[in-house]
Structures are given as C-alpha cells and as structure tokens.
Amino acid sequence: MTDAALQRATEQVLAAKTRPLIQVVTFFDEPTFTATHLAFDPATRRGAIVDSVLNFDYASGRTATRGADEIIDYVKRESLKIDWLLETHAHADHLSAAPYLQQKLGGKLAIGREITTVQTVFGKLFNFGTEFARDGSQFDQLFGDGDTFAVGEIPVTTLHVPGHTPADVAFVIGDAAFIGDTLFMPDYGTARADFPGGDARGLYRSIRRLLSLPAETRLFLCHDYKAPGRDHFLWETTVGDERTKNVHVHDGVDEEAFVAMRTARDKTLDLPHLILPSVQVNVRGGRLPPAEDNGTRYLKLPLDLL
C-alpha cells in the first residue's frame, strides 16, 4: 500500500532544489521553551505563522502579547502578508496567540482534522457543556492527511503524525517540515506520549514516517529544552541528522524498544506546568473562555483527575 501523502511531500522537497526555498524566522519564548516559526515565500512575501505563544503568568492569571507583538512588528517591518496561522496540535505547554495575531495581521487559522477528538476528550474533562462545539468550528480550516495548500507560491503538504496527541500534524512547506511535538533536537530525543489520547506506538510510526522524507529535509521543531552539556537553544535540524543521531529513535531502534523506552520515561515526567490553562484555551482555537455574568473570564482547575 503506497503512502500517497508522504510521496507527495517527498517530491515537493526534492523539487525545492530548483525553486526559491521557504524562508524561516524563529521567535523563541524561553519561559515555555517554544519556537514560533514565521515561514514566508521570498518571491511573494506571503507567509504563515506556526505555533504562536500568548504570554501567560499562572500565578496572577494575567495574559500579555509581548511575543506576538514582536512577530507583528517583524511582519510589518518586512512588508509581509500573513495568509495562515498554523497550529501543529492543541498545545499543553503554552497558550496560543493565534486569534490575536489574526486580528492584527489577518490569515486563516488552521489545525489538524483530529482536533475534534481532542475537543471531545477535554470538553468532557473540563465539563464545558453543550455550548462548547466539538466539531473544530473554532478554526477556519481543518487539514487531513495529504491535504495541500500553499504559502505564497510554495506548496504545502499536510501529514497526520499522531502519537503525542491524536491531532498532531506536520506541515511540509517546500523543503521544510514544521513537525510540532514529535521530535526534538537529536541530542534530546522525542516527545512524550502519555497525555489523554497519546500513544507511544503511534508516535514511533509517525516519527519513522517523517524520517522517510529526504535526508536534506529541514525540520523545524516546536520546542527545545537544551540537552545536558548544551548551553544554547536550537530548533532546526534535518531528517538526516535525526536518523543518525537522535538518542531515542535513530536508525536501528525498533518499535518495541522505542515503546518500552518512551513508556518508562513518560512515567518519570511531571505534567507540564501550563497544561490545564493551555488545553482549555487551545481547544477553543486559542480563544479565552467566554466572560461570566460579572464580566470576568475564568479558567477551571479540575481536582484529582490528571
């Protein structure tokens, strides 16, 4: 059985050798260790923003737009036009700034089609009630495996890569793949798979699928935590480097060994500091909960569930 979506992405990467490459500028939010990527076509000056961050202070409950404003300033200074605000999944470690960026810059907000599965799980966990739609309608576009679109004149292929969550997707834009929370830098390894709906076996298969892309494919990661012995943050690697050097899933590591390692490692990990506020916001497309009758918005804190 052929993998038509992967074949299309592979052909796209190889064809990029004869056309302008997508340009990528990264904005790193150190408090959440998140890399937000601004990818744009240098010929048309049209672009996409991938995995944005809304500043949030848990102790005070205050939000801010410092990181998003930095992106906005860059877009305006460079005379770029934003067509897409892309989310690789519903993040559990930061709040998305996509609605704010959309208000300021325009563009369509998009995520993987399986966000509906995540909305169903967390809608029940947070007891959102029937007023919370679980059909992905908070987003302008839901992409499935193999769906295509463009950033300027540069083609994009969407790959469904579940495992970290059921809804993870990678966006292959020209010769560059924006892969969310599947892989980290080779010296750090791979994403966890113990969130509701996560699956270590599915993650392994998704990673091997990504690593079937040409070795020269540029990979842009959503996070970096600085591996032991490394004193600076990194968020760009290649398929070739991941296949030869990734400490968890380099060539030769089989599925059973990976699942055993990932399952054991995940049992030692604390939940992300911002998982409860983040998921409540991100399943709503990055929008804060509606205000209650006193005009104030509230985030819920479920007790003894996670």
PDB file of all heavy atoms in Angstrom, residues 3-31:
ATOM      1  N   ASP A   3       1.965   5.219   0.336  1.00  0.00           N
ATOM      2  CA  ASP A   3       1.669   6.369   1.184  1.00  0.00           C
ATOM      3  C   ASP A   3       1.681   7.593   0.275  1.00  0.00           C
ATOM      4  O   ASP A   3       2.717   8.224   0.068  1.00  0.00           O
ATOM      5  CB  ASP A   3       2.717   6.467   2.285  1.00  0.00           C
ATOM      6  CG  ASP A   3       2.381   7.538   3.313  1.00  0.00           C
ATOM      7  OD1 ASP A   3       1.672   8.494   2.966  1.00  0.00           O
ATOM      8  OD2 ASP A   3       2.842   7.411   4.458  1.00  0.00           O
ATOM      9  N   ALA A   4       0.521   7.914  -0.286  1.00  0.00           N
ATOM     10  CA  ALA A   4       0.444   8.973  -1.287  1.00  0.00           C
ATOM     11  C   ALA A   4       0.843  10.324  -0.708  1.00  0.00           C
ATOM     12  O   ALA A   4       1.515  11.120  -1.374  1.00  0.00           O
ATOM     13  CB  ALA A   4      -0.968   9.030  -1.874  1.00  0.00           C
ATOM     14  N   ALA A   5       0.444  10.602   0.534  1.00  0.00           N
ATOM     15  CA  ALA A   5       0.769  11.892   1.143  1.00  0.00           C
ATOM     16  C   ALA A   5       2.274  12.031   1.341  1.00  0.00           C
ATOM     17  O   ALA A   5       2.860  13.085   1.054  1.00  0.00           O
ATOM     18  CB  ALA A   5       0.047  12.042   2.482  1.00  0.00           C
ATOM     19  N   LEU A   6       2.915  10.964   1.822  1.00  0.00           N
ATOM     20  CA  LEU A   6       4.362  11.010   2.026  1.00  0.00           C
ATOM     21  C   LEU A   6       5.086  11.138   0.696  1.00  0.00           C
ATOM     22  O   LEU A   6       6.076  11.883   0.585  1.00  0.00           O
ATOM     23  CB  LEU A   6       4.819   9.755   2.761  1.00  0.00           C
ATOM     24  CG  LEU A   6       6.308   9.678   3.091  1.00  0.00           C
ATOM     25  CD1 LEU A   6       6.726  10.813   4.015  1.00  0.00           C
ATOM     26  CD2 LEU A   6       6.637   8.332   3.728  1.00  0.00           C
ATOM     27  N   GLN A   7       4.609  10.452  -0.329  1.00  0.00           N
ATOM     28  CA  GLN A   7       5.227  10.553  -1.651  1.00  0.00           C
ATOM     29  C   GLN A   7       5.117  11.973  -2.195  1.00  0.00           C
ATOM     30  O   GLN A   7       6.072  12.512  -2.754  1.00  0.00           O
ATOM     31  CB  GLN A   7       4.571   9.569  -2.616  1.00  0.00           C
ATOM     32  CG  GLN A   7       5.155   9.586  -4.020  1.00  0.00           C
ATOM     33  CD  GLN A   7       6.612   9.199  -4.050  1.00  0.00           C
ATOM     34  OE1 GLN A   7       7.065   8.387  -3.249  1.00  0.00           O
ATOM     35  NE2 GLN A   7       7.382   9.783  -4.979  1.00  0.00           N
ATOM     36  N   ARG A   8       3.960  12.581  -1.992  1.00  0.00           N
ATOM     37  CA  ARG A   8       3.783  13.959  -2.452  1.00  0.00           C
ATOM     38  C   ARG A   8       4.737  14.898  -1.712  1.00  0.00           C
ATOM     39  O   ARG A   8       5.360  15.778  -2.310  1.00  0.00           O
ATOM     40  CB  ARG A   8       2.337  14.400  -2.228  1.00  0.00           C
ATOM     41  CG  ARG A   8       2.017  15.791  -2.770  1.00  0.00           C
ATOM     42  CD  ARG A   8       0.571  16.188  -2.515  1.00  0.00           C
ATOM     43  NE  ARG A   8      -0.348  15.251  -3.134  1.00  0.00           N
ATOM     44  CZ  ARG A   8      -1.190  14.466  -2.461  1.00  0.00           C
ATOM     45  NH1 ARG A   8      -1.209  14.494  -1.128  1.00  0.00           N
ATOM     46  NH2 ARG A   8      -1.994  13.655  -3.092  1.00  0.00           N
ATOM     47  N   ALA A   9       4.860  14.722  -0.402  1.00  0.00           N
ATOM     48  CA  ALA A   9       5.768  15.562   0.375  1.00  0.00           C
ATOM     49  C   ALA A   9       7.212  15.355  -0.061  1.00  0.00           C
ATOM     50  O   ALA A   9       7.996  16.312  -0.146  1.00  0.00           O
ATOM     51  CB  ALA A   9       5.606  15.266   1.866  1.00  0.00           C
ATOM     52  N   THR A  10       7.576  14.115  -0.348  1.00  0.00           N
ATOM     53  CA  THR A  10       8.937  13.810  -0.791  1.00  0.00           C
ATOM     54  C   THR A  10       9.232  14.501  -2.125  1.00  0.00           C
ATOM     55  O   THR A  10      10.296  15.128  -2.299  1.00  0.00           O
ATOM     56  CB  THR A  10       9.121  12.289  -0.929  1.00  0.00           C
ATOM     57  OG1 THR A  10       8.962  11.691   0.360  1.00  0.00           O
ATOM     58  CG2 THR A  10      10.493  11.949  -1.487  1.00  0.00           C
ATOM     59  N   GLU A  11       8.328  14.386  -3.062  1.00  0.00           N
ATOM     60  CA  GLU A  11       8.510  15.035  -4.360  1.00  0.00           C
ATOM     61  C   GLU A  11       8.612  16.547  -4.206  1.00  0.00           C
ATOM     62  O   GLU A  11       9.391  17.217  -4.903  1.00  0.00           O
ATOM     63  CB  GLU A  11       7.354  14.659  -5.283  1.00  0.00           C
ATOM     64  CG  GLU A  11       7.350  13.185  -5.678  1.00  0.00           C
ATOM     65  CD  GLU A  11       6.090  12.771  -6.407  1.00  0.00           C
ATOM     66  OE1 GLU A  11       5.177  13.622  -6.534  1.00  0.00           O
ATOM     67  OE2 GLU A  11       6.006  11.606  -6.849  1.00  0.00           O
ATOM     68  N   GLN A  12       7.849  17.074  -3.275  1.00  0.00           N
ATOM     69  CA  GLN A  12       7.864  18.514  -3.010  1.00  0.00           C
ATOM     70  C   GLN A  12       9.231  18.954  -2.495  1.00  0.00           C
ATOM     71  O   GLN A  12       9.771  19.983  -2.916  1.00  0.00           O
ATOM     72  CB  GLN A  12       6.775  18.805  -1.988  1.00  0.00           C
ATOM     73  CG  GLN A  12       6.620  20.235  -1.566  1.00  0.00           C
ATOM     74  CD  GLN A  12       5.541  20.333  -0.502  1.00  0.00           C
ATOM     75  OE1 GLN A  12       4.392  19.996  -0.722  1.00  0.00           O
ATOM     76  NE2 GLN A  12       5.943  20.787   0.686  1.00  0.00           N
ATOM     77  N   VAL A  13       9.795  18.180  -1.558  1.00  0.00           N
ATOM     78  CA  VAL A  13      11.120  18.510  -1.017  1.00  0.00           C
ATOM     79  C   VAL A  13      12.173  18.462  -2.118  1.00  0.00           C
ATOM     80  O   VAL A  13      13.012  19.365  -2.243  1.00  0.00           O
ATOM     81  CB  VAL A  13      11.492  17.545   0.131  1.00  0.00           C
ATOM     82  CG1 VAL A  13      12.960  17.731   0.536  1.00  0.00           C
ATOM     83  CG2 VAL A  13      10.579  17.768   1.334  1.00  0.00           C
ATOM     84  N   LEU A  14      12.141  17.423  -2.935  1.00  0.00           N
ATOM     85  CA  LEU A  14      13.127  17.278  -3.997  1.00  0.00           C
ATOM     86  C   LEU A  14      12.988  18.391  -5.035  1.00  0.00           C
ATOM     87  O   LEU A  14      13.990  18.902  -5.550  1.00  0.00           O
ATOM     88  CB  LEU A  14      12.983  15.909  -4.656  1.00  0.00           C
ATOM     89  CG  LEU A  14      13.289  14.710  -3.756  1.00  0.00           C
ATOM     90  CD1 LEU A  14      12.980  13.406  -4.477  1.00  0.00           C
ATOM     91  CD2 LEU A  14      14.737  14.739  -3.283  1.00  0.00           C
ATOM     92  N   ALA A  15      11.764  18.805  -5.317  1.00  0.00           N
ATOM     93  CA  ALA A  15      11.540  19.866  -6.303  1.00  0.00           C
ATOM     94  C   ALA A  15      12.026  21.217  -5.799  1.00  0.00           C
ATOM     95  O   ALA A  15      12.304  22.123  -6.601  1.00  0.00           O
ATOM     96  CB  ALA A  15      10.061  19.949  -6.660  1.00  0.00           C
ATOM     97  N   ALA A  16      12.138  21.357  -4.478  1.00  0.00           N
ATOM     98  CA  ALA A  16      12.559  22.642  -3.915  1.00  0.00           C
ATOM     99  C   ALA A  16      13.980  23.007  -4.318  1.00  0.00           C
ATOM    100  O   ALA A  16      14.391  24.164  -4.193  1.00  0.00           O
ATOM    101  CB  ALA A  16      12.443  22.606  -2.389  1.00  0.00           C
ATOM    102  N   LYS A  17      14.743  22.038  -4.806  1.00  0.00           N
ATOM    103  CA  LYS A  17      16.116  22.323  -5.238  1.00  0.00           C
ATOM    104  C   LYS A  17      16.152  23.259  -6.441  1.00  0.00           C
ATOM    105  O   LYS A  17      17.179  23.890  -6.710  1.00  0.00           O
ATOM    106  CB  LYS A  17      16.828  21.022  -5.584  1.00  0.00           C
ATOM    107  CG  LYS A  17      17.012  20.074  -4.404  1.00  0.00           C
ATOM    108  CD  LYS A  17      17.657  18.766  -4.837  1.00  0.00           C
ATOM    109  CE  LYS A  17      17.814  17.811  -3.669  1.00  0.00           C
ATOM    110  NZ  LYS A  17      18.413  16.515  -4.075  1.00  0.00           N
ATOM    111  N   THR A  18      15.054  23.364  -7.164  1.00  0.00           N
ATOM    112  CA  THR A  18      15.025  24.160  -8.387  1.00  0.00           C
ATOM    113  C   THR A  18      14.180  25.416  -8.261  1.00  0.00           C
ATOM    114  O   THR A  18      13.903  26.083  -9.248  1.00  0.00           O
ATOM    115  CB  THR A  18      14.492  23.318  -9.560  1.00  0.00           C
ATOM    116  OG1 THR A  18      13.139  22.912  -9.265  1.00  0.00           O
ATOM    117  CG2 THR A  18      15.358  22.084  -9.774  1.00  0.00           C
ATOM    118  N   ARG A  19      13.747  25.740  -7.024  1.00  0.00           N
ATOM    119  CA  ARG A  19      12.928  26.939  -6.828  1.00  0.00           C
ATOM    120  C   ARG A  19      13.349  27.614  -5.522  1.00  0.00           C
ATOM    121  O   ARG A  19      14.043  27.008  -4.710  1.00  0.00           O
ATOM    122  CB  ARG A  19      11.435  26.589  -6.800  1.00  0.00           C
ATOM    123  CG  ARG A  19      11.049  25.657  -5.677  1.00  0.00           C
ATOM    124  CD  ARG A  19       9.552  25.364  -5.665  1.00  0.00           C
ATOM    125  NE  ARG A  19       9.097  24.736  -6.888  1.00  0.00           N
ATOM    126  CZ  ARG A  19       8.060  23.908  -6.945  1.00  0.00           C
ATOM    127  NH1 ARG A  19       7.388  23.611  -5.847  1.00  0.00           N
ATOM    128  NH2 ARG A  19       7.699  23.369  -8.087  1.00  0.00           N
ATOM    129  N   PRO A  20      12.934  28.861  -5.289  1.00  0.00           N
ATOM    130  CA  PRO A  20      13.322  29.538  -4.046  1.00  0.00           C
ATOM    131  C   PRO A  20      12.853  28.763  -2.813  1.00  0.00           C
ATOM    132  O   PRO A  20      11.747  28.227  -2.787  1.00  0.00           O
ATOM    133  CB  PRO A  20      12.603  30.891  -4.152  1.00  0.00           C
ATOM    134  CG  PRO A  20      12.394  31.101  -5.614  1.00  0.00           C
ATOM    135  CD  PRO A  20      12.155  29.728  -6.185  1.00  0.00           C
ATOM    136  N   LEU A  21      13.718  28.682  -1.809  1.00  0.00           N
ATOM    137  CA  LEU A  21      13.376  27.998  -0.574  1.00  0.00           C
ATOM    138  C   LEU A  21      12.488  28.881   0.291  1.00  0.00           C
ATOM    139  O   LEU A  21      12.572  30.113   0.243  1.00  0.00           O
ATOM    140  CB  LEU A  21      14.649  27.641   0.202  1.00  0.00           C
ATOM    141  CG  LEU A  21      15.635  26.692  -0.470  1.00  0.00           C
ATOM    142  CD1 LEU A  21      16.820  26.450   0.440  1.00  0.00           C
ATOM    143  CD2 LEU A  21      14.963  25.370  -0.830  1.00  0.00           C
ATOM    144  N   ILE A  22      11.634  28.225   1.081  1.00  0.00           N
ATOM    145  CA  ILE A  22      10.879  28.971   2.075  1.00  0.00           C
ATOM    146  C   ILE A  22      11.862  29.593   3.072  1.00  0.00           C
ATOM    147  O   ILE A  22      12.835  28.959   3.475  1.00  0.00           O
ATOM    148  CB  ILE A  22       9.868  28.044   2.794  1.00  0.00           C
ATOM    149  CG1 ILE A  22       8.836  28.853   3.578  1.00  0.00           C
ATOM    150  CG2 ILE A  22      10.554  27.030   3.664  1.00  0.00           C
ATOM    151  CD1 ILE A  22       7.742  29.425   2.761  1.00  0.00           C
ATOM    152  N   GLN A  23      11.652  30.834   3.409  1.00  0.00           N
ATOM    153  CA  GLN A  23      12.487  31.485   4.419  1.00  0.00           C
ATOM    154  C   GLN A  23      11.809  31.369   5.778  1.00  0.00           C
ATOM    155  O   GLN A  23      10.578  31.476   5.884  1.00  0.00           O
ATOM    156  CB  GLN A  23      12.724  32.948   4.055  1.00  0.00           C
ATOM    157  CG  GLN A  23      13.609  33.113   2.837  1.00  0.00           C
ATOM    158  CD  GLN A  23      14.080  34.549   2.649  1.00  0.00           C
ATOM    159  OE1 GLN A  23      13.932  35.403   3.525  1.00  0.00           O
ATOM    160  NE2 GLN A  23      14.659  34.825   1.490  1.00  0.00           N
ATOM    161  N   VAL A  24      12.601  31.142   6.810  1.00  0.00           N
ATOM    162  CA  VAL A  24      12.062  30.911   8.146  1.00  0.00           C
ATOM    163  C   VAL A  24      12.762  31.824   9.144  1.00  0.00           C
ATOM    164  O   VAL A  24      14.001  31.872   9.203  1.00  0.00           O
ATOM    165  CB  VAL A  24      12.232  29.441   8.580  1.00  0.00           C
ATOM    166  CG1 VAL A  24      11.608  29.216   9.954  1.00  0.00           C
ATOM    167  CG2 VAL A  24      11.611  28.505   7.543  1.00  0.00           C
ATOM    168  N   VAL A  25      11.974  32.545   9.919  1.00  0.00           N
ATOM    169  CA  VAL A  25      12.469  33.349  11.025  1.00  0.00           C
ATOM    170  C   VAL A  25      11.802  32.807  12.291  1.00  0.00           C
ATOM    171  O   VAL A  25      10.580  32.623  12.317  1.00  0.00           O
ATOM    172  CB  VAL A  25      12.136  34.839  10.836  1.00  0.00           C
ATOM    173  CG1 VAL A  25      12.630  35.652  12.034  1.00  0.00           C
ATOM    174  CG2 VAL A  25      12.738  35.367   9.545  1.00  0.00           C
ATOM    175  N   THR A  26      12.595  32.542  13.316  1.00  0.00           N
ATOM    176  CA  THR A  26      12.069  31.899  14.524  1.00  0.00           C
ATOM    177  C   THR A  26      12.112  32.861  15.704  1.00  0.00           C
ATOM    178  O   THR A  26      13.095  33.582  15.904  1.00  0.00           O
ATOM    179  CB  THR A  26      12.861  30.630  14.845  1.00  0.00           C
ATOM    180  OG1 THR A  26      12.732  29.715  13.746  1.00  0.00           O
ATOM    181  CG2 THR A  26      12.344  29.956  16.104  1.00  0.00           C
ATOM    182  N   PHE A  27      11.048  32.834  16.483  1.00  0.00           N
ATOM    183  CA  PHE A  27      10.921  33.634  17.700  1.00  0.00           C
ATOM    184  C   PHE A  27      10.788  32.653  18.864  1.00  0.00           C
ATOM    185  O   PHE A  27       9.842  31.865  18.912  1.00  0.00           O
ATOM    186  CB  PHE A  27       9.695  34.539  17.614  1.00  0.00           C
ATOM    187  CG  PHE A  27       9.716  35.476  16.433  1.00  0.00           C
ATOM    188  CD1 PHE A  27       9.316  35.031  15.175  1.00  0.00           C
ATOM    189  CD2 PHE A  27      10.152  36.783  16.571  1.00  0.00           C
ATOM    190  CE1 PHE A  27       9.341  35.886  14.082  1.00  0.00           C
ATOM    191  CE2 PHE A  27      10.186  37.647  15.478  1.00  0.00           C
ATOM    192  CZ  PHE A  27       9.781  37.195  14.229  1.00  0.00           C
ATOM    193  N   PHE A  28      11.744  32.693  19.780  1.00  0.00           N
ATOM    194  CA  PHE A  28      11.786  31.683  20.849  1.00  0.00           C
ATOM    195  C   PHE A  28      11.292  32.276  22.160  1.00  0.00           C
ATOM    196  O   PHE A  28      11.776  33.319  22.613  1.00  0.00           O
ATOM    197  CB  PHE A  28      13.207  31.156  21.023  1.00  0.00           C
ATOM    198  CG  PHE A  28      13.279  29.935  21.899  1.00  0.00           C
ATOM    199  CD1 PHE A  28      12.859  28.702  21.417  1.00  0.00           C
ATOM    200  CD2 PHE A  28      13.754  30.009  23.197  1.00  0.00           C
ATOM    201  CE1 PHE A  28      12.918  27.562  22.216  1.00  0.00           C
ATOM    202  CE2 PHE A  28      13.819  28.883  24.004  1.00  0.00           C
ATOM    203  CZ  PHE A  28      13.397  27.653  23.511  1.00  0.00           C
ATOM    204  N   ASP A  29      10.316  31.600  22.761  1.00  0.00           N
ATOM    205  CA  ASP A  29       9.766  32.003  24.054  1.00  0.00           C
ATOM    206  C   ASP A  29      10.384  31.120  25.140  1.00  0.00           C
ATOM    207  O   ASP A  29       9.980  29.971  25.323  1.00  0.00           O
ATOM    208  CB  ASP A  29       8.246  31.856  24.051  1.00  0.00           C
ATOM    209  CG  ASP A  29       7.618  32.252  25.371  1.00  0.00           C
ATOM    210  OD1 ASP A  29       7.696  33.448  25.713  1.00  0.00           O
ATOM    211  OD2 ASP A  29       7.086  31.371  26.078  1.00  0.00           O
ATOM    212  N   GLU A  30      11.357  31.668  25.847  1.00  0.00           N
ATOM    213  CA  GLU A  30      12.099  30.847  26.801  1.00  0.00           C
ATOM    214  C   GLU A  30      11.260  30.355  27.977  1.00  0.00           C
ATOM    215  O   GLU A  30      11.448  29.215  28.428  1.00  0.00           O
ATOM    216  CB  GLU A  30      13.341  31.592  27.298  1.00  0.00           C
ATOM    217  CG  GLU A  30      14.270  30.703  28.098  1.00  0.00           C
ATOM    218  CD  GLU A  30      15.638  31.327  28.322  1.00  0.00           C
ATOM    219  OE1 GLU A  30      16.001  32.285  27.607  1.00  0.00           O
ATOM    220  OE2 GLU A  30      16.360  30.842  29.213  1.00  0.00           O
ATOM    221  N   PRO A  31      10.304  31.140  28.516  1.00  0.00           N
ATOM    222  CA  PRO A  31       9.516  30.609  29.638  1.00  0.00           C
ATOM    223  C   PRO A  31       8.775  29.307  29.316  1.00  0.00           C
ATOM    224  O   PRO A  31       8.585  28.470  30.198  1.00  0.00           O
ATOM    225  CB  PRO A  31       8.533  31.746  29.946  1.00  0.00           C
ATOM    226  CG  PRO A  31       9.274  32.981  29.527  1.00  0.00           C
ATOM    227  CD  PRO A  31      10.031  32.571  28.291  1.00  0.00           C
TER     228      PRO A  31
END
